[in-house]
Amino acid sequence: MPRHPSKPAAEALTLTPVAVTRSCFQDKFGVPRQPGLTRHARADLIIQPPFDREDAFRGLETASHLWLTFQFHEAVRAEWRPVVRPPRLGGNRKMGVFASRSPFRPNSLGLSVVRNEGLIRRDGELILRISDHDLIEGTPILDIKPYLPFADSVPEATLGWADSPPTERLEVVFLPEAETQIRQLSSEDYPELRPLIEDVVAYDPRPSFRRGRDEERIYGAHLYDLNVRFRFVNDHSRKRVEVLTVC
Protein backbone atom coordinates (compact mmCIF):
# COMPACT_ATOMS: atom_id res chain seq x y z
CA MET A 1 0.00 0.00 0.00
CA PRO A 2 1.30 3.51 -0.74
CA ARG A 3 2.56 5.38 2.28
CA HIS A 4 1.18 8.78 3.00
CA PRO A 5 3.13 11.37 4.96
CA SER A 6 1.86 11.60 8.50
CA LYS A 7 0.05 14.74 9.49
CA PRO A 8 1.74 16.82 12.17
CA ALA A 9 0.18 16.65 15.60
CA ALA A 10 -1.82 19.65 16.67
CA GLU A 11 0.36 22.06 18.57
CA ALA A 12 -2.29 22.56 21.22
CA LEU A 13 -5.67 21.21 22.20
CA THR A 14 -8.29 23.17 24.05
CA LEU A 15 -10.12 20.98 26.58
CA THR A 16 -13.08 22.14 28.62
CA PRO A 17 -13.59 20.41 31.98
CA VAL A 18 -17.02 18.84 32.31
CA ALA A 19 -16.76 18.78 36.11
CA VAL A 20 -14.64 19.96 39.02
CA THR A 21 -13.92 17.71 42.01
CA ARG A 22 -14.86 18.35 45.62
CA SER A 23 -12.82 15.72 47.38
CA CYS A 24 -12.12 14.35 50.83
CA PHE A 25 -8.43 14.61 49.80
CA GLN A 26 -7.32 18.23 50.05
CA ASP A 27 -3.76 17.82 48.74
CA LYS A 28 -1.49 15.20 47.19
CA PHE A 29 0.07 13.80 50.35
CA GLY A 30 -1.87 10.81 51.60
CA VAL A 31 -3.86 10.20 48.42
CA PRO A 32 -3.88 6.49 47.49
CA ARG A 33 -1.43 5.78 44.68
CA GLN A 34 -4.20 4.03 42.75
CA PRO A 35 -8.01 4.23 42.93
CA GLY A 36 -9.66 1.42 44.84
CA LEU A 37 -6.95 1.19 47.53
CA THR A 38 -9.44 2.80 49.88
CA ARG A 39 -13.12 1.90 49.75
CA HIS A 40 -14.03 4.86 51.94
CA ALA A 41 -12.93 7.87 49.88
CA ARG A 42 -15.82 9.99 48.64
CA ALA A 43 -16.05 12.95 46.27
CA ASP A 44 -18.59 15.07 44.45
CA LEU A 45 -18.06 15.95 40.80
CA ILE A 46 -19.66 19.35 40.26
CA ILE A 47 -20.91 19.29 36.68
CA GLN A 48 -20.06 22.52 34.89
CA PRO A 49 -22.29 24.46 32.46
CA PRO A 50 -23.28 23.76 29.73
CA PHE A 51 -22.94 20.07 30.63
CA ASP A 52 -25.09 20.26 33.79
CA ARG A 53 -28.16 18.70 32.20
CA GLU A 54 -29.70 15.49 33.46
CA ASP A 55 -30.25 14.39 29.86
CA ALA A 56 -26.49 14.12 29.37
CA PHE A 57 -26.39 11.45 32.12
CA ARG A 58 -29.50 9.51 31.18
CA GLY A 59 -28.80 5.78 31.69
CA LEU A 60 -25.63 6.28 33.74
CA GLU A 61 -27.51 5.16 36.85
CA THR A 62 -27.18 1.56 35.63
CA ALA A 63 -23.35 1.74 35.71
CA SER A 64 -21.73 0.63 38.96
CA HIS A 65 -18.34 2.04 37.95
CA LEU A 66 -17.08 4.86 35.75
CA TRP A 67 -13.97 5.82 33.83
CA LEU A 68 -12.79 9.36 34.56
CA THR A 69 -10.31 11.22 32.41
CA PHE A 70 -8.83 14.10 34.37
CA GLN A 71 -5.91 16.46 34.62
CA PHE A 72 -3.18 16.18 37.25
CA HIS A 73 -3.58 19.91 37.74
CA GLU A 74 -0.95 20.14 40.49
CA ALA A 75 1.62 18.18 38.45
CA VAL A 76 1.68 20.35 35.33
CA ARG A 77 5.24 21.12 34.28
CA ALA A 78 6.66 23.32 31.54
CA GLU A 79 8.82 20.41 30.32
CA TRP A 80 8.31 16.68 30.38
CA ARG A 81 10.89 13.99 31.15
CA PRO A 82 11.13 10.64 29.37
CA VAL A 83 11.84 8.65 32.55
CA VAL A 84 10.33 8.62 36.05
CA ARG A 85 11.00 6.81 39.33
CA PRO A 86 7.85 4.85 40.29
CA PRO A 87 7.23 4.66 44.07
CA ARG A 88 6.35 0.98 43.62
CA LEU A 89 10.01 0.34 42.77
CA GLY A 90 11.22 2.21 45.80
CA GLY A 91 12.09 5.33 43.84
CA ASN A 92 15.41 3.76 42.88
CA ARG A 93 14.71 2.44 39.38
CA LYS A 94 13.87 4.48 36.34
CA MET A 95 11.05 3.56 33.98
CA GLY A 96 9.80 5.20 30.82
CA VAL A 97 7.01 7.65 31.53
CA PHE A 98 4.70 5.78 29.15
CA ALA A 99 5.36 2.55 31.06
CA SER A 100 4.21 4.17 34.29
CA ARG A 101 1.19 5.78 35.92
CA SER A 102 3.20 8.81 37.00
CA PRO A 103 1.29 12.12 37.17
CA PHE A 104 4.28 13.86 35.56
CA ARG A 105 3.32 13.25 31.94
CA PRO A 106 3.49 15.20 28.67
CA ASN A 107 -0.18 16.21 28.86
CA SER A 108 -0.71 15.70 32.61
CA LEU A 109 -3.72 13.42 31.98
CA GLY A 110 -4.94 10.75 34.37
CA LEU A 111 -7.39 7.87 34.06
CA SER A 112 -9.20 6.24 36.98
CA VAL A 113 -11.98 3.75 37.58
CA VAL A 114 -14.31 4.91 40.37
CA ARG A 115 -17.56 3.73 41.91
CA ASN A 116 -20.72 5.53 40.78
CA GLU A 117 -22.74 6.77 43.77
CA GLY A 118 -25.44 8.52 41.77
CA LEU A 119 -26.50 11.89 40.41
CA ILE A 120 -28.17 14.56 42.55
CA ARG A 121 -29.08 18.21 42.20
CA ARG A 122 -28.31 20.34 45.21
CA ASP A 123 -28.51 24.12 45.57
CA GLY A 124 -28.87 24.39 41.82
CA GLU A 125 -25.75 22.32 41.07
CA LEU A 126 -25.81 18.99 39.26
CA ILE A 127 -23.50 16.64 41.18
CA LEU A 128 -22.20 13.19 40.33
CA ARG A 129 -21.21 11.41 43.53
CA ILE A 130 -18.35 8.90 43.45
CA SER A 131 -16.26 6.78 45.82
CA ASP A 132 -13.15 4.54 45.73
CA HIS A 133 -11.27 7.38 44.04
CA ASP A 134 -7.81 9.02 44.02
CA LEU A 135 -8.70 12.60 43.11
CA ILE A 136 -7.67 15.68 45.06
CA GLU A 137 -9.69 18.83 45.64
CA GLY A 138 -10.20 20.87 42.48
CA THR A 139 -9.25 18.12 40.01
CA PRO A 140 -10.67 19.02 36.56
CA ILE A 141 -12.66 16.13 35.04
CA LEU A 142 -12.34 16.07 31.27
CA ASP A 143 -14.59 13.12 30.45
CA ILE A 144 -16.87 10.54 32.07
CA LYS A 145 -17.61 7.13 30.60
CA PRO A 146 -19.28 3.96 31.91
CA TYR A 147 -16.98 1.07 32.80
CA LEU A 148 -17.86 -1.96 30.66
CA PRO A 149 -16.98 -5.20 32.50
CA PHE A 150 -16.99 -7.40 29.36
CA ALA A 151 -14.62 -5.07 27.50
CA ASP A 152 -12.59 -3.27 30.16
CA SER A 153 -11.66 -6.16 32.43
CA VAL A 154 -8.71 -8.22 31.18
CA PRO A 155 -7.96 -10.87 33.86
CA GLU A 156 -4.92 -12.22 32.05
CA ALA A 157 -3.26 -8.80 31.69
CA THR A 158 0.24 -8.44 33.14
CA LEU A 159 2.73 -5.66 33.76
CA GLY A 160 5.67 -7.48 35.29
CA TRP A 161 7.01 -4.97 37.77
CA ALA A 162 3.61 -4.18 39.33
CA ASP A 163 1.37 -7.19 38.78
CA SER A 164 0.05 -7.50 42.31
CA PRO A 165 -1.54 -4.92 44.60
CA PRO A 166 0.46 -3.66 47.60
CA THR A 167 -0.10 -6.16 50.37
CA GLU A 168 1.73 -4.73 53.36
CA ARG A 169 -0.62 -2.71 55.53
CA LEU A 170 0.80 -1.30 58.71
CA GLU A 171 -1.14 -1.63 61.93
CA VAL A 172 -2.98 1.61 62.72
CA VAL A 173 -3.42 2.68 66.34
CA PHE A 174 -5.59 5.68 67.28
CA LEU A 175 -4.28 7.36 70.42
CA PRO A 176 -6.87 8.51 73.00
CA GLU A 177 -6.99 12.15 71.85
CA ALA A 178 -7.64 11.09 68.25
CA GLU A 179 -10.32 8.61 69.36
CA THR A 180 -12.12 11.32 71.31
CA GLN A 181 -11.96 13.79 68.43
CA ILE A 182 -13.36 11.29 65.91
CA ARG A 183 -16.30 10.45 68.19
CA GLN A 184 -17.20 14.15 68.34
CA LEU A 185 -17.39 14.53 64.55
CA SER A 186 -20.59 14.15 62.54
CA SER A 187 -20.74 10.97 60.46
CA GLU A 188 -22.87 12.86 57.96
CA ASP A 189 -20.20 15.50 57.41
CA TYR A 190 -17.33 13.01 57.59
CA PRO A 191 -18.63 9.66 56.27
CA GLU A 192 -16.56 6.58 57.13
CA LEU A 193 -13.81 8.83 58.49
CA ARG A 194 -12.06 6.27 60.68
CA PRO A 195 -11.66 3.58 57.98
CA LEU A 196 -10.65 6.32 55.50
CA ILE A 197 -7.84 7.42 57.83
CA GLU A 198 -6.78 3.79 58.31
CA ASP A 199 -6.57 3.24 54.55
CA VAL A 200 -4.62 6.46 53.98
CA VAL A 201 -1.92 5.87 56.60
CA ALA A 202 -1.70 2.04 56.57
CA TYR A 203 -0.04 1.96 53.13
CA ASP A 204 2.65 4.42 54.32
CA PRO A 205 2.14 7.55 52.19
CA ARG A 206 5.66 8.83 52.85
CA PRO A 207 8.12 9.40 49.97
CA SER A 208 9.91 6.22 48.88
CA PHE A 209 13.21 7.13 50.54
CA ARG A 210 11.48 7.42 53.94
CA ARG A 211 9.20 4.40 53.77
CA GLY A 212 9.85 1.63 56.26
CA ARG A 213 11.78 3.90 58.60
CA ASP A 214 11.17 4.65 62.23
CA GLU A 215 11.47 8.40 62.77
CA GLU A 216 10.49 11.16 65.15
CA ARG A 217 8.84 13.24 62.46
CA ILE A 218 5.08 13.83 62.71
CA TYR A 219 3.14 13.84 59.43
CA GLY A 220 -0.16 15.43 58.53
CA ALA A 221 -2.75 14.59 55.88
CA HIS A 222 -5.65 16.89 55.05
CA LEU A 223 -8.93 14.97 54.81
CA TYR A 224 -12.03 17.10 54.28
CA ASP A 225 -11.30 20.17 56.45
CA LEU A 226 -9.41 18.13 59.03
CA ASN A 227 -5.69 17.76 59.67
CA VAL A 228 -4.88 14.16 60.59
CA ARG A 229 -1.51 14.00 62.40
CA PHE A 230 0.31 10.68 62.66
CA ARG A 231 3.74 9.10 63.13
CA PHE A 232 5.45 5.85 62.22
CA VAL A 233 6.80 3.60 64.95
CA ASN A 234 9.05 0.56 64.69
CA ASP A 235 9.98 -0.74 68.13
CA HIS A 236 11.37 -3.99 66.67
CA SER A 237 8.41 -5.95 67.98
CA ARG A 238 5.87 -4.48 65.59
CA LYS A 239 5.60 -1.74 62.99
CA ARG A 240 2.65 0.57 63.35
CA VAL A 241 1.20 3.98 62.60
CA GLU A 242 -0.04 6.03 65.53
CA VAL A 243 -2.78 8.55 64.77
CA LEU A 244 -2.25 11.43 67.17
CA THR A 245 -4.97 13.97 66.47
CA VAL A 246 -7.89 14.52 64.07
CA CYS A 247 -8.93 18.15 64.13
Side-chain angles (χ1 to χ4, degrees):
M1 296 180 63
R3 298 183 63 183
H4 299 283
S6 59
K7 296 182 179 179
E11 291 185 2
L13 296 175
T14 300
L15 300 177
T16 302
V18 301
V20 176
T21 306
R22 287 181 187 160
S23 174
C24 59
F25 301 120
Q26 297 301 297
D27 49 41
K28 293 182 289 185
F29 183 68
V31 177
R33 290 186 169 91
Q34 301 296 337
L37 287 182
T38 173
R39 301 297 179 187
H40 310 286
R42 295 177 178 271
D44 289 346
L45 305 185
I46 313 303
I47 311 302
Q48 302 296 291
F51 312 110
D52 55 342
R53 299 172 52 179
E54 282 84 350
D55 280 354
F57 297 87
R58 185 182 302 170
L60 197 67
E61 69 276 3
T62 66
S64 65
H65 291 75
L66 309 170
W67 283 111
L68 300 180
T69 304
F70 60 92
Q71 183 191 43
F72 291 108
H73 64 296
E74 292 194 2
V76 176
R77 299 290 186 270
E79 297 181 357
W80 71 283
R81 295 182 180 180
V83 295
V84 295
R85 298 176 183 268
R88 185 64 178 275
L89 298 177
N92 299 316
R93 289 177 53 193
K94 293 181 178 180
M95 301 291 290
V97 65
F98 296 122
S100 79
R101 303 281 287 266
S102 169
F104 302 102
R105 321 185 64 78
N107 289 303
S108 304
L109 296 183
L111 183 68
S112 287
V113 175
V114 301
R115 182 177 294 276
N116 178 14
E117 298 289 355
L119 195 70
I120 64 171
R121 189 171 285 278
R122 184 176 61 207
D123 298 330
E125 294 180 323
L126 188 62
I127 299 171
L128 181 60
R129 314 201 78 175
I130 63 169
S131 61
D132 301 3
H133 70 91
D134 58 347
L135 307 174
I136 68 173
E137 180 74 14
T139 296
I141 305 299
L142 302 175
D143 201 8
I144 301 167
K145 295 183 177 73
Y147 179 92
L148 302 180
F150 72 89
D152 296 338
S153 177
V154 186
E156 68 273 19
T158 61
L159 179 56
W161 58 270
D163 274 343
S164 59
T167 55
E168 183 181 8
R169 279 178 61 102
L170 298 174
E171 178 188 3
V172 180
V173 177
F174 288 79
L175 297 191
E177 185 175 0
E179 288 280 13
T180 299
Q181 291 168 332
I182 288 177
R183 285 197 296 269
Q184 293 173 344
L185 294 170
S186 164
S187 59
E188 182 176 347
D189 294 333
Y190 306 99
E192 301 180 283
L193 179 60
R194 184 189 177 101
L196 173 62
I197 294 172
E198 290 177 346
D199 284 346
V200 166
V201 303
Y203 285 117
D204 196 342
R206 293 178 292 178
S208 299
F209 68 92
R210 289 187 179 274
R211 299 185 79 184
R213 294 184 180 184
D214 177 20
E215 55 180 344
E216 296 296 327
R217 181 173 178 175
I218 294 175
Y219 289 87
H222 293 95
L223 303 179
Y224 299 103
D225 58 350
L226 303 170
N227 183 17
V228 181
R229 298 171 69 247
F230 53 97
R231 66 188 174 199
F232 295 86
V233 179
N234 181 5
D235 58 10
H236 304 294
S237 61
R238 72 193 225 270
K239 297 179 182 179
R240 65 187 184 277
V241 190
E242 293 182 343
V243 180
L244 309 176
T245 58
V246 181
C247 57

